[in-house]
Amino acid sequence: MSLHVFDAALQLQPQAEGVYLGVTSPAWANMVGPFGGMTAATVVQAIVSHAQCLGEPVSLTVNYLAAIADGAFTLQLRIARTNRSTQHWVFEIQQADSDGQMQCVLTGTAMTAARRDTWGANDLPMPQVPAPHTLPDALIPKSVVWLTRYDMRGVVGGLPQVWDRSESPLPLHEASLSQLWVRDRVGRALDFAALAATADIFFPRVWVRRAHWTPAGTVSMTVYFHADSAQLAEVGSGYVLAQARGQVFRKGFFDQSGCLWSEGGVPLATTHQLVYFKE
Amino acid sequence: MSLHVFDAALQLQPQAEGVYLGVTSPAWANMVGPFGGMTAATVVQAIVSHAQCLGEPVSLTVNYLAAIADGAFTLQLRIARTNRSTQHWVFEIQQADSDGQMQCVLTGTAMTAARRDTWGANDLPMPQVPAPHTLPDALIPKSVVWLTRYDMRGVVGGLPQVWDRSESPLPLHEASLSQLWVRDRVGRALDFAALAATADIFFPRVWVRRAHWTPAGTVSMTVYFHADSAQLAEVGSGYVLAQARGQVFRKGFFDQSGCLWSEGGVPLATTHQLVYFKE
């Protein structure tokens, strides 16, 4: 039985204590290099697979320092501190440049925790949207390989059909809002790695905000995992509602705020990004 | 002329390339150890003061691994990569434990950039609230020293007057919402370090959400700086409107989403936290 393409891309070869060798997967190619969500997922998988990992992921920040090149990369992963019920991680990905010098292409930090039952509340209820099976399969540009790995059902805020630089006429809190149902196209079950990848599926908010195609790329992504593995198991290979909206666009950068819910309305993760845009 | 207490607390002694010695300041004491915002500010100041710093802060993530003890600490700060117009930073703070062993108490990453003029939009307009001078100076518990450094004018979501575990009757998007005007009490002008500190002034959302005092502390804070130094100079020593609301509270952690605006309505920074709470 062959590995699912997502799991195949997560594979790392341990080289030494905290050092892993990986190779980007053509199955997850973006316009340039690999899908950033896949890279984030690779780090998350390395953490949860670590022999000394305490608990489950709660917080993750990944910084994309440069376009990751297709090919080999080295992940360095270190436990910065282990407390009674929480653990902090520091990581970095390096690649050789054209001169053979190792250059840092990604940095980040994460926290895992053994979670306890407490009082809880969901102050981010899932918006009322049509069920995924009532919506058409999104028309995905096949030139972007990683997009074909997902079954996406758009609700609002899809890619502009006309790139006419017409700023959104919607109220500001909807002007760059995208909502879509998403799941792995061939039925891989959701886990922490897949959830991290899903947090990065949004195309740049600036595109929908002003119907203008401009180069853009994620600089920093933070994911707060609210679900534990039991809740992720309940999702299985089902749909997740993914929502993101831009907040402030200024001088080459914008930020977005997002949330991922299970079809049953459970908030699985909240996520934020700082994104570069050219103009 | 003596230094302002904020600037005095920012002082670091360079020890070696990328290694600085600091000492926590009693003037910024929290209930245990120093105010976390002051620690974040110290890192930001070290970055912007660095001889090789490119541009101005755009993104910052700080993880609090343990309560920082009063006394000496060591900051390690490293440039992970310098691109044409962006630069990525990695840092860590260590303190000696009771056995004299150095232990990591804080990790983080930051990005600075030389920003260019582009199209822009503010999709997070400042909420309509009463002007700061029309509101009373907040009654601040003097037992928490750092709070006395700020002039705070509460709008909504102040500390509960009665801790009766009565869950907020407000709609969910207001149930843990706090809005307050804040400025340095003795007129220090806002800069990137002070803005980073201000991003951490909110008491735990869980307290206002359910009128229940429970131990809580920030685990990870991310700040996206939208303002440049020219906009911060315009704020000067004026008020900033600080807003935060909780999103998901579950199994010992909640996240919050916040924004800081100038009195003129300019969004200076958006900020997010993942916060531990006991029950």
Side-chain angles (χ1 to χ4, degrees), chain A residues 6-7 10 41 44-45 48 57 188-198 225 228-229 232-233 235-236:
Chain A
F6 187 81
D7 295 290
L10 293 177
V44 169
Q45 190 62 28
V48 300
R188 183 185 184 279
L190 196 68
D191 57 12
F192 289 104
L195 192 57
T198 308
F225 299 92
D228 53 26
S229 52
L232 296 184
V235 175

Side-chain angles (χ1 to χ4, degrees), chain A:
Chain A
M1 201 179 80
S2 65
L3 276 179
H4 183 285
V5 286
F6 187 81
D7 295 290
L10 293 177
Q11 299 301 305
L12 293 172
Q13 304 302 324
Q15 302 290 295
E17 178 74 24
V19 181
Y20 307 81
L21 185 64
V23 183
T24 63
S25 164
W28 294 87
N30 201 349
M31 285 173 285
V32 177
F35 167 44
M38 190 70 234
T39 311
T42 304
V43 175
V44 169
Q45 190 62 28
I47 290 172
V48 300
S49 307
H50 194 287
Q52 288 151 47
C53 180
L54 173 65
E56 299 183 335
V58 178
S59 176
L60 171 75
T61 292
V62 178
N63 305 290
Y64 300 92
L65 280 56
I68 294 178
D70 295 323
F73 61 85
T74 300
L75 167 66
Q76 295 179 331
L77 176 65
R78 178 168 62 87
I79 299 171
R81 187 178 185 117
T82 301
N83 295 313
R84 196 173 50 178
S85 63
T86 62
Q87 189 171 50
H88 287 265
W89 302 78
V90 175
F91 52 85
E92 191 167 319
I93 291 180
Q94 298 192 342
Q95 284 190 309
D97 65 14
S98 53
D99 295 332
Q101 296 288 314
M102 293 305 276
Q103 300 288 349
C104 189
V105 293
L106 182 143
T107 61
T109 54
M111 195 266 284
T112 56
R115 305 183 73 153
R116 298 167 304 98
D117 283 331
T118 61
W119 171 86
N122 175 20
D123 286 357
L124 267 190
M126 185 167 74
Q128 293 201 323
V129 298
H133 67 271
T134 67
L135 296 163
D137 202 340
L139 294 169
I140 291 169
K142 293 220 167 39
S143 56
V144 181
V145 182
W146 74 265
L147 283 171
T148 68
R149 302 296 161 202
Y150 290 106
D151 169 2
M152 296 178 170
R153 311 284 171 128
V155 178
V156 299
L159 268 184
Q161 297 302 300
V162 185
W163 298 90
D164 60 359
R165 300 196 185 201
S166 57
E167 285 197 29
S168 173
L170 294 169
L172 294 183
H173 66 283
E174 295 176 27
S176 68
L177 173 68
S178 289
Q179 295 170 329
L180 69 159
W181 291 105
V182 58
R183 65 175 176 181
D184 181 84
R185 187 167 284 282
V186 293
R188 183 185 184 279
L190 196 68
D191 57 12
F192 289 104
L195 192 57
T198 308
D200 195 34
I201 57 154
F202 306 98
F203 58 82
R205 303 294 84 209
V206 65
W207 294 358
V208 65
R209 181 63 173 78
R210 60 186 301 237
H212 174 50
W213 191 90
T214 180
T218 302
V219 171
S220 185
M221 172 170 77
T222 290
V223 183
Y224 298 144
F225 299 92
H226 299 293
D228 53 26
S229 52
Q231 288 182 316
L232 296 184
E234 281 171 27
V235 175
S237 57
Y239 285 98
V240 166
L241 181 68
Q243 170 177 292
R245 62 161 61 88
Q247 300 197 132
V248 183
F249 304 73
R250 184 164 189 274
K251 287 201 170 185
F253 298 94
F254 72 84
D255 71 321
Q256 76 181 35
S257 180
C259 188
L260 307 172
W261 293 269
S262 75
E263 199 172 348
V266 174
L268 304 172
T270 47
T271 180
H272 311 282
Q273 290 202 3
L274 195 277
V275 182
Y276 158 83
F277 68 99
K278 187 165 183 186
E279 60 177 359

